[in-house]
């Protein structure tokens, strides 16, 4: 499944990565998100819904930072 995710549009890949990180956090105990982080998550989702995408370079940086 993870291999197939890499073929999805970038906005869906970002959303999938966010969901996976939330699931991982749940396995480590309670999830704590700051107001700033929550605002960023909401803005990212709104951008995806508007069809605004990040560059491939930004995606590569994101995946590298999160070990994906």
């Amino acid at each position: 499944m993870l291999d197939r995710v890499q073929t999805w549009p970038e906005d869906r890949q970002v959303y999938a990565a966010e969901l996976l990180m939330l699931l991982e956090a749940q396995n480590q105990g309670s999830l704590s998100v700051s107001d700033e982080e929550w605002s960023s998550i909401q803005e990212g989702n709104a951008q995806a819904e508007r069809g605004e995408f990040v560059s491939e370079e930004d995606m590569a940086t994101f995946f590298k930072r999160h070990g994906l």
Side-chain angles (χ1 to χ4, degrees):
M1 184 67 196
L2 293 177
D3 290 334
R4 291 195 330 239
V5 169
Q6 294 177 351
T7 67
W8 295 356
E10 289 182 31
D11 64 321
R12 293 290 182 183
Q13 290 183 35
V14 170
Y15 186 66
E18 289 173 352
L19 290 174
L20 290 171
M21 287 187 297
L22 288 171
L23 288 171
E24 180 181 44
Q26 288 176 342
N27 287 337
Q28 297 174 359
S30 63
L31 175 62
S32 178
V33 178
S34 71
D35 290 341
E36 183 178 337
E37 290 169 325
W38 181 243
S39 178
S40 294
I41 291 169
Q42 290 177 312
E43 176 57 26
N45 287 337
Q47 289 172 354
E49 288 179 15
R50 293 190 302 265
E52 299 171 2
F53 306 104
V54 299
S55 69
E56 288 187 30
E57 180 180 301
D58 288 342
M59 285 302 303
T61 300
F62 173 85
F63 287 128
K64 183 177 181 179
R65 181 180 313 136
H66 296 286
L68 301 173

